[in-house]
Amino acid sequence: MKTAQPPLSKETMERAVLSVRLRRKRIIKQNIPLMVMFLPVILFYIVFKYIPMLGLVIAFKDYNFFDGIIGSEWVGFKHFKYLFGNAYTRDIIYNTLLLSCLRVFVSFPFPILLAIMLNEARKLLFKKTVQTLVYLPHFLSWIIVGGIVVTVFAEQTGVVNGLIKLLGLPSYAFLYHEGSWISIYVGSSIWKEAGFSAIIYLAALTTIDPSLYEAASMDGAGKWHKIWHITLPGIRPTIVLMLILAMGHVMEVGFDHVYVLQNQVVAKVSEVISTYIFKIGLQGADFSVTAAMGMFESLIGIVLVVITNRIARAFDQGLW
């Protein structure tokens, strides 16, 4: 039988509490430089992310400049009923979902494949050159990228149509047909962001123990077997994390990307929530309707993140 431990004296407990407090103060003092460095980030999120959330109340009001946020009439879910009862806004939500899902699920594997290929490259000069070339588009604005895309795919003077004409075929208006416009939209997104996103996976690949590859080689495993059984399982937590984060942006289609490629001919598939908010909210000054649309977009993003994380937790890979 275990003997009962004698109760701690009051002095011992006070010394223990004092020791804990001193240790906490020492830790805080040691981390003051890090806290100061992190302070601008906290202020950025407070000022530009959290305080503006208070303005969401105008989604439930008939907001106007003269009465202000507080004085405007409360109308409840009037604007939400208008959004979901209007066929045009339903088409906009559908376009947003379509383009976002294509961008997420079609584009998602490319950074992984690019990172694996760069990791397998043995010539350092070749590897560094390719890395530089694929990273570069990320640092170009969508205005520049849009100009490049329009120049390349223009019907009369575009490079692609120039090659088509050399083959004796008629030119094709790529940016004025819905199917080709969607393909160009997704392709330009991959071209611009895949290289930069691959950095995260390259960092994850450095954590894999090289002895695993050596053991696999001794067992006669080929390149593809090593990738399938060692590389991909080794970066699986990173893949799941990036997928969860990507799912949070399913309802967000970048305004710049769509706007620079958009035209009236393909408006049926290119009009999305972000461009709708710009045209109706900023140009049309209908702030309450667009606030309701933005709130709906954010709520769907939260729901998708929670659902994706719950599914990932079933495989012990959840974010929280």
Side-chain angles (χ1 to χ4, degrees):
M1 295 178 62
K2 294 183 178 179
T3 57
Q5 296 290 335
L8 297 175
S9 64
K10 184 178 180 180
E11 294 181 358
T12 303
M13 293 181 66
E14 288 178 352
R15 283 198 299 270
V17 171
L18 180 61
S19 176
V20 171
R21 289 178 179 175
L22 290 173
R23 187 163 61 252
R24 286 179 179 175
K25 289 182 179 179
R26 186 169 60 253
I27 293 172
I28 292 173
K29 187 176 180 179
Q30 291 173 347
N31 289 280
I32 285 177
L34 298 177
M35 294 178 182
V36 172
M37 292 174 62
F38 194 63
L39 185 60
V41 179
I42 297 174
L43 292 176
F44 171 81
Y45 277 92
I46 291 174
V47 173
F48 295 103
K49 299 295 182 179
Y50 290 102
I51 292 179
M53 288 183 185
L54 300 176
L56 287 175
V57 70
I58 68 174
F60 305 95
K61 293 188 171 191
D62 270 334
Y63 173 76
N64 62 79
F65 284 114
F66 298 103
D67 296 328
I69 295 177
I70 298 176
S72 298
E73 180 186 0
W74 182 271
V75 294
F77 292 96
K78 170 187 173 182
H79 302 300
F80 292 93
K81 292 177 181 177
Y82 166 76
L83 288 176
F84 299 115
N86 188 329
Y88 179 66
T89 54
R90 289 200 300 268
D91 290 340
I92 290 172
I93 294 171
Y94 171 78
N95 292 340
T96 305
L97 280 170
L98 174 64
L99 294 179
S100 293
C101 289
L102 286 173
R103 187 190 61 187
V104 170
F105 295 110
V106 176
S107 305
F108 188 77
F110 282 88
I112 302 172
L113 296 173
L114 182 59
I116 292 173
M117 287 189 289
L118 288 173
N119 187 62
E120 295 295 329
R122 292 293 173 260
K123 296 290 185 180
L124 186 60
L125 179 61
F126 172 80
K127 184 175 182 179
K128 295 295 183 182
T129 303
V130 172
Q131 283 179 331
T132 302
L133 292 175
V134 297
Y135 294 168
L136 184 61
H138 172 79
F139 300 99
L140 302 177
S141 70
W142 276 115
I143 304 301
I144 297 174
V145 173
I148 293 172
V149 170
V150 171
T151 302
V152 170
F153 291 98
E155 184 176 4
Q156 299 300 327
T157 59
V159 176
V160 175
N161 273 308
L163 296 174
I164 291 175
K165 290 176 182 178
L166 288 176
L167 297 174
L169 300 174
S171 61
Y172 186 80
F174 289 97
L175 294 171
Y176 295 93
H177 290 83
E178 295 177 357
S180 57
W181 187 91
I182 292 175
S183 300
I184 291 171
Y185 169 82
V186 176
S188 59
S189 178
I190 294 172
W191 177 73
K192 186 176 187 298
E193 300 297 341
F196 191 79
S197 300
I199 294 175
I200 299 173
Y201 297 106
L202 282 170
L205 287 169
T206 61
T207 64
I208 300 176
D209 188 356
S211 63
L212 296 175
Y213 293 103
E214 295 174 3
S217 297
M218 293 177 65
D219 290 337
K223 186 68 68 179
W224 291 109
H225 287 89
K226 292 177 185 177
I227 292 173
W228 185 257
H229 295 287
I230 299 175
T231 304
L232 289 177
I235 62 173
R236 185 172 59 183
T238 304
I239 294 174
V240 173
L241 172 62
M242 296 301 293
L243 179 60
I244 293 173
L245 295 177
M247 290 301 295
H249 298 282
V250 160
M251 289 297 291
E252 296 180 14
V253 177
F255 169 78
D256 295 342
H257 189 185
V258 175
Y259 195 72
V260 297
L261 297 179
Q262 194 178 57
N263 58 73
Q264 289 299 320
V265 178
V266 294
K268 186 177 179 181
V269 296
S270 65
E271 194 70 63
V272 294
I273 289 177
S274 57
T275 56
Y276 176 82
I277 290 175
F278 172 74
K279 294 173 182 177
I280 303 300
L282 295 181
Q283 296 181 339
D286 196 347
F287 300 106
S288 295
V289 172
T290 52
M293 178 69 87
M295 190 174 187
F296 166 74
E297 179 183 17
S298 300
L299 290 174
I300 294 298
I302 292 172
V303 170
L304 289 173
V305 168
V306 173
I307 292 174
T308 307
N309 184 74
R310 189 169 289 268
I311 294 172
R313 284 178 61 187
F315 301 93
D316 297 326
Q317 299 294 332
L319 185 59
W320 70 86

